Amino acid sequence: MSGVLNSLRHGCAAVLLCAALSATAEERITVCFNYGCLTQADVVYDAAQLATLRTLFSGVQDAAQERAVLAPVIGRMLGWAGAQSPISADKGGNLADEAVYGKMDCIDHSTTTTRLLKLLDKQGLLRFHEVLEPVLRRRFLVFDHFSAQIREKTVAHDEAPVYVVDSWFFDNGRPAAVMPLAQWQAGDDPNDVD
């Protein structure tokens, strides 16, 4: 009888291990494009890509380093998504790709980048920040702009600095802008794209 129980235990352990490995073998998210999330496409990040992300985050020791790594990681993830969807055609801002299928406005970028950040969090790669919902910047009553945002975990919640992770400014696959929310709200633009 004990042999049967041991076999069952080993069998259950093997099933649980396989389930855990397959859960991290790939991740699927939906990307938005064609302005206002008019069109969406599913993209898959495979085990090798997820391993690359884990390697990129492996040396992170504090919140500042995590933000520094996030900029190129979001660019890389959008580049991988562009290999599977029309967003590879996206150019920074809204003017350079106005008539292109796969173009992304700030709503598309803030939604997609928030989903990417949540994927990174789900993978346990965001140790020093929590993912917040997209934020709106309104200037002169007509210039609305949305961005993904994160809040630092290492400080008391009511004093925790908030940062935007804004991929809209740059062509697909380029590093995102990561900057303090207050600086972004004031209108700071990493490359004067409007």
Side-chain angles (χ1 to χ4, degrees):
M1 181 71 165
S2 66
V4 171
L5 287 176
N6 281 337
S7 294
L8 283 174
R9 276 190 215 126
H10 291 294
C12 288
V15 168
L16 290 173
L17 178 62
C18 287
L21 290 175
S22 67
T24 60
E26 68 179 33
E27 289 282 354
R28 180 180 306 272
I29 71 153
T30 303
V31 297
C32 291
F33 55 98
N34 288 338
Y35 289 15
C37 280
L38 179 65
T39 312
Q40 298 189 45
D42 286 341
V43 299
V44 175
Y45 296 96
D46 64 28
Q49 291 166 329
L50 295 174
T52 298
L53 297 177
R54 281 190 291 281
T55 299
L56 292 170
F57 280 96
S58 65
V60 169
Q61 299 296 317
D62 60 31
Q65 287 179 351
E66 192 166 87
R67 289 190 301 276
V69 169
L70 268 177
V73 161
I74 293 297
R76 184 175 291 203
M77 293 177 80
L78 286 168
W80 288 335
Q84 302 174 56
S85 71
I87 69 168
S88 60
D90 182 55
K91 301 291 182 202
N94 285 347
L95 301 178
D97 59 2
E98 195 171 339
V100 174
Y101 187 75
K103 64 190 176 189
M104 298 174 75
D105 66 0
C106 64
I107 295 170
D108 298 320
H109 275 281
S110 63
T111 303
T112 299
T113 300
T114 299
R115 291 172 181 169
L116 294 173
L117 290 166
K118 287 180 178 180
L119 183 155
L120 293 171
D121 190 45
K122 179 181 172 187
Q123 288 288 312
L125 300 176
L126 294 184
R127 297 181 331 188
F128 300 99
H129 295 88
E130 64 180 312
V131 181
L132 304 176
E133 291 305 310
V135 62
L136 168 65
R137 169 176 84 182
R138 178 166 280 147
R139 294 173 58 214
F140 311 115
L141 300 174
V142 293
F143 297 112
D144 289 353
H145 183 67
F146 289 88
S147 179
Q149 62 177 339
I150 55 175
R151 179 173 34 229
E152 196 170 314
K153 290 181 188 176
T154 55
V155 183
H157 194 274
D158 57 338
E159 299 172 12
V162 176
Y163 298 86
V164 296
V165 182
D166 199 338
S167 53
W168 173 82
F169 291 106
F170 309 108
D171 293 355
N172 179 265
R174 304 293 303 168
V178 179
M179 67 177 76
L181 175 64
Q183 184 181 334
W184 179 84
Q185 288 284 17
D188 281 11
D189 183 334
N191 64 3
D192 296 320
V193 172
D194 280 319

